[in-house]
Amino acid sequence: MDFALSVDCLKVYYFSDLGIIKAVDDVSFSIKKNESIGIVGESGCGKSTLGTALLRSVPYPGKIVNGRIILDGEDITKMSDDEFNKKVRWKKISMIFQGALNSLDPVFTIGSQMKEILQQHCYSNDYSEIIADSLSSVLLEPSIIKKYPHELSGGMKQRVSIAMSLLLNPKILVADEPTTSLDVMVESQIINLLKKLKKDRNMSIIFISHDLGVISEVSEIIAIMYRGQIVELGKAYEIYKNPKHPYTEKLVSSITSIKNKENKFEFLREKSLDLTRKESGCKFYDGCPYAKEKCRDAPPVINYKNGFIRCWLYE
Ligand code: ATP
Ligand code: SF4
């Protein structure tokens, strides 16, 4: 199978003063070329940590402690920082970080911020052409290069951050909450833009969101994350129509009963999970209506259709 990216038994821990936080705890999935996968789960389940691990940008005191991330046949976890920065970052995989639209530097123009990225990562006689191409692919006029971030709307700033991530034509894009803090109209424009870019550029996209409505609009495959693990992975419509894992079942039933006025669904955001809590068995044991004695041991990962379920019920 020709995968764009394969993640295998990935573990990312934060070594904090409070103890070891297993933010990503044995995650495996693959994504094909030109495919999109949505990583969904409530706040604190480890989505952003997973995204940053794919870019080798896990913040301190976090560390990749186990697993492989195979991109173009190479395990990027084994590369030196220098090799990763030269060969992979921006060129093969790029990321729109959470809150990207607010992280543009207020004292520099858009053009100079884009040029700086290019100067650090590639050589060209004509950076302006690359910048203009990238801006036009997100439907922005070239004149925007003279503007400062405060002169742009939220939607325009998000388009700029997408254009920046595409400057070196990566084949994989990680988009972490790309529509958070945008109003509904702009959110839908950004979603349509990302769908168009995926098609036009034959890209694979990894969408990260707590909002199943957004994810289901843009992803063919959905991975449901709970306390650092993917508990169910499958085709988006299968997960909606027939959720298998008890946690997915709970989420889908809760969102369908709180359909909001824009006809989108949003997870009930729970307070940040305590990932330092000790447990050896199923992480959903306390919340699961079907829990049995066996569930005190770690549940098996059962292949189901084109995905999997991590639960003793399907043994
Ligand atoms: P959100 O949707 O709120 O961004 P998330 O699902 O993306 O949440 P992460 O941000 O990956 O979750 O966080 C996973 C867990 O890792 C959190 O519950 C937090 O306890 C821990 N964590 C994240 N960043 C750090 C850090 N810099 N230092 C210590 N612990 C961290
Ligand atoms: Fe529930 Fe057991 Fe499945 Fe965990 S393994 S989700 S406790 S049935």
Side-chain angles (χ1 to χ4, degrees):
M1 183 70 75
D2 201 8
F3 290 116
L5 179 88
S6 285
V7 175
D8 186 25
C9 302
L10 187 68
K11 296 187 179 184
V12 187
Y13 296 174
Y14 291 99
F15 296 87
S16 78
D17 295 343
L18 297 170
I20 297 176
I21 297 163
K22 299 180 177 180
V24 174
D25 192 16
D26 194 16
V27 161
S28 301
F29 70 92
S30 296
I31 176 168
K32 291 184 205 147
K33 289 183 177 158
N34 198 20
E35 188 176 61
S36 54
I37 185 168
I39 314 279
V40 195
E42 61 203 67
S43 182
C45 71
K47 307 180 295 294
S48 295
T49 303
L50 174 58
T52 54
L54 303 180
L55 269 289
R56 296 204 11 169
S57 303
V58 179
Y60 178 84
K63 226 175 144 193
I64 294 177
V65 295
N66 186 67
R68 304 186 307 159
I69 301 171
I70 308 292
L71 201 161
D72 260 358
E74 286 191 88
D75 183 356
I76 61 167
T77 67
K78 299 275 186 297
M79 289 180 180
S80 67
D81 286 346
D82 196 41
E83 184 182 10
F84 182 77
N85 287 334
K86 274 197 187 126
K87 277 178 30 184
V88 183
R89 193 188 299 281
W90 301 95
K91 298 186 176 103
K92 294 186 180 178
I93 186 166
S94 191
M95 182 161 180
I96 307 164
F97 286 88
Q98 200 177 119
L101 77 169
N102 296 319
S103 63
L104 296 169
D105 195 324
V107 297
F108 293 103
T109 62
I110 299 304
S112 62
Q113 294 186 53
M114 294 180 89
K115 191 170 168 190
E116 195 188 337
I117 295 171
L118 286 170
Q119 282 170 332
Q120 281 173 12
H121 294 93
C122 77
Y123 174 78
S124 165
N125 284 327
D126 194 0
Y127 291 123
S128 56
E129 195 180 329
I130 304 176
I131 291 170
D133 277 356
S134 197
L135 287 171
S136 112
S137 74
V138 299
L139 313 175
L140 287 174
E141 295 292 328
S143 58
I144 208 160
I145 56 169
K146 300 203 178 80
K147 305 254 188 214
Y148 289 88
H150 74 267
E151 298 178 89
L152 308 179
S153 67
M156 286 166 102
K157 279 193 261 191
Q158 190 60 305
R159 280 170 197 267
V160 167
S161 56
I162 296 170
M164 283 178 166
S165 70
L166 299 178
L167 274 170
L168 294 175
N169 214 11
K171 283 289 168 221
I172 303 173
L173 180 66
V174 182
D176 190 357
E177 303 275 7
T179 60
T180 299
S181 76
L182 299 174
D183 67 42
V184 176
M185 285 290 288
V186 181
E187 174 181 280
S188 124
Q189 288 165 7
I190 295 290
I191 288 172
N192 288 334
L193 173 66
L194 287 167
K195 280 199 236 172
K196 183 174 172 341
L197 288 167
K198 172 180 170 280
K199 198 161 157 244
D200 293 351
R201 294 173 167 248
N202 283 322
M203 275 194 312
S204 307
I205 305 192
I206 298 163
F207 287 98
I208 295 174
S209 179
H210 64 277
D211 185 336
L212 190 54
V214 169
I215 286 289
S216 62
E217 277 188 62
V218 290
S219 311
E220 289 126 347
I221 307 288
I222 291 183
I224 306 285
M225 227 175 144
Y226 181 75
R227 295 178 62 107
Q229 296 185 327
I230 295 178
V231 294
E232 182 166 359
L233 181 145
K235 292 231 159 84
Y237 65 87
E238 289 276 358
I239 291 209
Y240 248 112
K241 199 177 61 179
N242 192 11
K244 291 282 176 199
H245 192 280
Y247 177 68
T248 318
E249 201 180 273
K250 182 186 153 202
L251 284 177
V252 172
S253 69
S254 69
I255 55 173
T256 48
S257 63
I258 55 158
K259 246 184 181 185
N260 69 20
K261 61 182 186 306
E262 287 87 29
N263 206 24
K264 296 215 184 308
F265 308 122
E266 190 165 333
F267 288 165
L268 286 168
R269 299 201 81 173
E270 294 176 14
K271 68 182 168 56
S272 216
L273 294 165
D274 174 10
L275 298 185
T276 58
R277 190 163 67 94
K278 281 204 175 69
E279 57 182 29
S280 49
C282 175
K283 298 198 182 207
F284 192 48
Y285 185 85
D286 292 336
C288 180
Y290 314 108
K292 44 189 176 176
E293 196 51 34
K294 213 172 193 178
C295 306
R296 290 183 183 278
D297 293 328
V301 175
I302 311 289
N303 290 328
Y304 178 74
K305 296 198 174 172
N306 292 321
F308 62 82
I309 308 152
R310 190 187 278 262
C311 177
W312 279 113
L313 286 181
Y314 300 94
E315 194 193 354

